[in-house]
Amino acid sequence: MEVNQAKQEHLLALKVMRLTKPTLFTNLPVTCEDRDLPGDLFGQLMREDPSTIKGAEALMLGEMLTLPQNFGNIFLGETFSSYISVHNDSIQVVKDVLVKADLQTSSQRLNLSASNSAVAELKPESCIDDVIHHEVKEIGTHILVCAVSYTTQYGEKLYFRKFFKFQVLKPLDVKTKFYNAEVRTDEVFLEAQIQNITTSPMFMEKVSLEPSMMYNVTELNTVASGDDGESTFGKMSYLQPMDTRQYLYCLKPKPEYAEKAGVIKGVTVIGKLDIVWKTNLGERGRLQTSQLQRMAPGYGDIRLSLEVIPDTVNLEEPFDIICRITNCSERTMDLVLEMCNTRSIHWCGVSGRQLGKLCPGAFLSLPLTLLSSVQGLQSLSGLRLTDTFLKRTYEYDDIAQVCVVCPYSSNER
């Protein structure tokens, strides 16, 4: 903290102190074996030391609390608290004392004073005390500006200011990734990586996702265990310095938006993360990200997805799938379906069949039958849709994958 002292001598003295919680006293224990030259001398000294824990003298943490010796670090999301005291050091009675505290950031100036009314009279050796609080929401340089104005007993109006400069640091590094579930649903998976970049451990009280109005969210950070789910991070939710945790969330469109392909297609705003943590002796911090945005999936004019597909099928045996064809454009289409065989995938049925007209935003479910002539993990490809109105063709490869197994052993075959 930097303080610019006023050059003029004033009747009043201004003192500002940051309010923080104390820390546990630490000492450096010195021990040796009984057969060494000092014998039990070190142990006796530690037992007589009032700062050590009785019965655990070799532990570095003691029973006493230590008041802060310096300004310390202020992190984004924490509450900045400061004690302001104006003391009358003179032998005069001063009048109309007004104390004002403003916090200047890179983007705004905030008034933190609890009261903007002046004190009518301040006698010698008396003081005016105030405690200010502010939840820090910006990183970078902050300047606490404390201004005092008063009137002497001779009617002279005086005024002085002091500036206290400090830096606000970032406590967490948050990275997000989005995964679109293309095969069966319009689900969106969010992976949030949260890293503690401070020098002390944190207790992660809450990490939640507040979805946008079009989505419902399900947290995937618990494991089913009995009646209540157990956190994947265990019972003690501590995040050590420079450690990283990954949180996973699943977002599903609300029923009223699920059938509107054009609406969901253009949605980029997903929601925002709400993170609450505690540090030494329960000091609380809270951080909310801005609205998280994803790249909208490019479905084109027609989206082809799968509603039903088996995980495993038998070699050279027909199996059924159900496709969903959605018109994502703003015009009506007249569609024709063509099925082209590949080296491993063979479609069953008539190719070139008419599917009929499909209005904007509408969809149709289409059951299809196919078989595979090659074992292993096979990719479903070879579907082609043609819009006869515009003579435009849409080809679909790598629609999904299916595992093909042989139901017979080599001897049986």
Side-chain angles (χ1 to χ4, degrees), residues 2 7 9 35 44 77 122 124-125 144-145 161 177 193 195 201 230 296-297 307 318 324 329 368 372 392:
E2 299 178 5
K7 296 181 180 180
E9 292 292 335
R35 62 185 179 183
Q44 182 180 353
L122 186 63
E125 299 302 322
L144 180 63
V145 183
R161 293 188 303 174
K177 295 180 182 179
Q193 299 180 1
Q195 183 182 23
E230 182 179 347
E307 293 181 340
R324 171 181 283 200
S329 70
L368 296 173
S372 175
R392 186 175 296 174

Side-chain angles (χ1 to χ4, degrees), residues 130 344-345 401:
D130 190 14
S344 59
I345 296 299
Q401 291 182 326

Side-chain angles (χ1 to χ4, degrees), residues 272-342:
K272 56 185 178 181
L273 287 171
D274 187 14
I275 307 170
V276 181
W277 70 90
K278 289 182 180 179
T279 55
N280 297 334
L281 295 179
E283 289 185 276
R284 192 174 185 180
R286 182 182 181 184
L287 206 59
Q288 274 194 334
T289 64
S290 56
Q291 289 288 346
L292 302 176
Q293 295 188 347
R294 62 160 180 164
M295 293 292 293
Y299 297 139
D301 292 339
I302 305 177
R303 181 188 179 190
L304 190 145
S305 58
L306 292 183
E307 293 181 340
V308 177
I309 179 174
D311 295 327
T312 305
V313 299
N314 292 332
L315 180 67
E316 299 179 351
E317 290 186 8
F319 62 93
D320 297 325
I321 64 173
I322 298 179
C323 296
R324 171 181 283 200
I325 300 173
T326 306
N327 184 355
C328 298
S329 70
E330 297 179 356
R331 56 184 173 82
T332 301
M333 295 183 176
D334 186 22
L335 299 176
V336 175
L337 174 67
E338 296 179 74
M339 300 180 292
C340 305
N341 294 334
T342 64

Side-chain angles (χ1 to χ4, degrees), residues 135-159:
E135 184 179 349
V136 182
K137 297 181 180 180
E138 296 182 38
I139 60 175
T141 303
H142 287 57
I143 302 176
L144 180 63
V145 183
C146 297
V148 180
S149 61
Y150 62 97
T151 304
T152 65
Q153 62 182 3
Y154 304 107
E156 182 182 7
K157 295 184 177 181
L158 298 178
Y159 171 86

Side-chain angles (χ1 to χ4, degrees), residues 360-391:
F363 69 91
L364 62 88
S365 296
L366 183 65
L368 296 173
T369 304
L370 64 158
L371 61 85
S372 175
S373 59
V374 180
Q375 287 183 225
L377 192 63
Q378 302 301 323
S379 181
L380 305 187
S381 302
L383 290 181
R384 183 185 301 161
L385 291 171
T386 302
D387 180 14
T388 59
F389 286 159
L390 296 181
K391 305 299 182 182

Side-chain angles (χ1 to χ4, degrees), residues 175-179 188-193 246-248:
K175 298 178 181 179
T176 56
K177 295 180 182 179
F178 289 101
Y179 305 93
V188 178
F189 291 91
L190 169 65
E191 176 191 343
Q193 299 180 1
Q246 293 172 310
Y247 295 84
L248 187 62

Side-chain angles (χ1 to χ4, degrees), residues 20 52 54 64 84 121-122 133 169 172 184 198 203 207 209 256-257 271 281 291 305 312 328-329 338 357 365 387:
T20 58
T52 59
K54 303 306 178 184
M64 295 185 176
I84 300 176
E121 185 179 274
L122 186 63
H133 303 280
L169 307 176
L172 299 170
R184 293 182 176 87
T198 69
F203 174 76
V207 179
L209 176 65
E256 56 266 33
Y257 301 107
L281 295 179
Q291 289 288 346
S305 58
T312 305
C328 298
S329 70
E338 296 179 74
K357 295 182 180 180
S365 296
D387 180 14

